[in-house]
């Protein structure tokens, strides 16, 4: 008889234990899913241009290369595609002003890039990466020289290659350091309605940024 009551009590307790386990398992499952869904991010990025080059060439004439160390600012929005790949859209502004040989040069560049990265994460916090970017840049070029004034703009193909390291401060915030080469494009200068010269724009840049990760 005692065995009967013991078995009956055990049967009554089993569903309660199962429910408690299911609740715990569901809670743990939801927590894991919540962490995994933080694959989207938005952030800001500061660029330090090292010798951004504006290579100005006059047709059938001389040339000048204007190099200027300056800063640029950009914003990013991206998505972690997998444990080793991510994709992002980046928009950024940079430019330079300089006077050489009696001519004043003023350039502004606004680039919009689609970047693709491959990375390897270590200890859940450090992720070295390499990346490639392709997009379009709008370049405004203003040259005021003794032989005349030219003000031109272009919407041109731009591409880049980068390498860097991403640091996860916590589940929500990442810091990013990197270096990249970017070709911004080529703007043609017209004088008296005819093409007078061209300027190629490219740069080697260091950048630093922070992003906030979230789920949809």
């Amino acid at each position: 008889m005692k065995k009967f009551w013991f078995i009956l009590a055990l049967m009554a307790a089993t569903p309660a234990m199962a429910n408690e386990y299911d609740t715990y398992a569901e809670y743990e499952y939801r927590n894991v899913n919540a962490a995994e869904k933080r694959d989207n991010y938005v952030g800001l990025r500061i660029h330090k241009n090292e010798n951004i080059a504006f290579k100005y060439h006059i047709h059938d004439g001389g040339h000048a290369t204007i190099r200027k160390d300056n800063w640029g600012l950009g914003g990013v929005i991206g998505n972690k595609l997998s444990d080793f790949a991510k994709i992002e859209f980046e928009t950024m502004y940079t430019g330079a002003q300089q006077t050489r040989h009696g001519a004043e040069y003023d350039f502004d560049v606004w680039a919009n890039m689609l970047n693709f990265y491959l990375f390897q994460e270590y200890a859940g916090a450090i992720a070295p990466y390499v990346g490639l970017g392709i997009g379009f840049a709008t370049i405004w070029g203003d040259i005021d020289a003794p032989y005349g004034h030219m003000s031109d703009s272009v919407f041109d193909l731009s591409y880049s290659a980068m390498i860097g390291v991403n640091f996860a401060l916590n589940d929500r915030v990442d810091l990013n350091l990197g270096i990249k080469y970017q070709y911004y494009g080529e703007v043609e200068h017209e004088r008296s309605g005819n093409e007078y010269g061209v300027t190629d724009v490219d740069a080697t840049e260091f950048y630093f940024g922070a992003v906030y990760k979230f789920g949809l």
Side-chain angles (χ1 to χ4, degrees), residues 13-129:
T14 300
M17 293 172 60
N19 286 338
E20 184 179 354
Y21 176 78
D22 288 344
T23 302
Y24 176 77
E26 184 179 0
Y27 174 77
E28 185 180 27
Y29 175 76
R30 286 178 179 174
N31 275 355
V32 171
N33 273 1
E36 289 178 349
K37 286 181 180 178
R38 294 173 189 166
D39 291 337
N40 306 291
Y41 61 89
V42 294
L44 293 175
R45 190 169 290 168
I46 298 174
H47 298 258
K48 176 62 172 70
N49 296 318
E50 294 294 329
N51 291 325
I52 185 168
F54 299 86
K55 302 170 185 175
Y56 172 59
H57 297 268
I58 301 173
H59 291 320
D60 301 322
H63 64 274
T65 299
I66 303 140
R67 299 186 182 275
K68 186 76 172 178
D69 294 347
N70 69 337
W71 298 85
L73 181 65
V76 297
I77 179 169
N79 176 262
K80 182 180 175 183
L81 300 174
S82 68
D83 290 337
F84 58 86
K86 64 181 180 179
I87 191 169
E88 75 178 18
F89 170 76
E90 178 181 18
T91 182
M92 57 184 171
Y93 166 82
T94 188
Q97 294 179 335
Q98 195 174 81
T99 300
R100 285 191 62 182
H101 307 301
E104 295 180 0
Y105 300 89
D106 187 357
F107 289 92
D108 295 281
V109 182
W110 180 32
N112 294 282
M113 308 294 294
L114 186 65
N115 301 325
F116 180 76
Y117 302 93
L118 293 176
F119 63 90
Q120 178 64 55
E121 192 172 272
Y122 297 96
I126 301 174
Y129 65 84

Side-chain angles (χ1 to χ4, degrees), residues 145-158:
Y147 48 79
H149 178 263
M150 296 174 288
S151 183
D152 306 278
S153 63
V154 70
F155 185 64
D156 204 3
L157 181 68
S158 179

Side-chain angles (χ1 to χ4, degrees), residues 111-202:
N112 294 282
M113 308 294 294
L114 186 65
N115 301 325
F116 180 76
Y117 302 93
L118 293 176
F119 63 90
Q120 178 64 55
E121 192 172 272
Y122 297 96
I126 301 174
Y129 65 84
V130 295
L132 295 173
I134 188 167
F136 293 93
T138 301
I139 304 172
W140 295 271
D142 189 273
I143 301 174
D144 193 0
Y147 48 79
H149 178 263
M150 296 174 288
S151 183
D152 306 278
S153 63
V154 70
F155 185 64
D156 204 3
L157 181 68
S158 179
Y159 55 85
S160 61
M162 62 283 282
I163 184 171
V165 181
N166 194 74
F167 301 93
L169 296 185
N170 52 46
D171 290 340
R172 292 291 188 180
V173 179
D174 285 1
L175 295 181
N176 187 264
L177 295 171
I179 183 173
K180 73 173 179 176
Y181 168 80
Q182 178 145 351
Y183 176 76
Y184 284 102
E186 177 186 274
V187 58
E188 297 179 353
H189 305 289
E190 290 188 357
R191 185 181 175 193
S192 301
N194 297 315
E195 185 178 311
Y196 183 75
V198 297
T199 299
D200 284 307
V201 185
D202 66 351

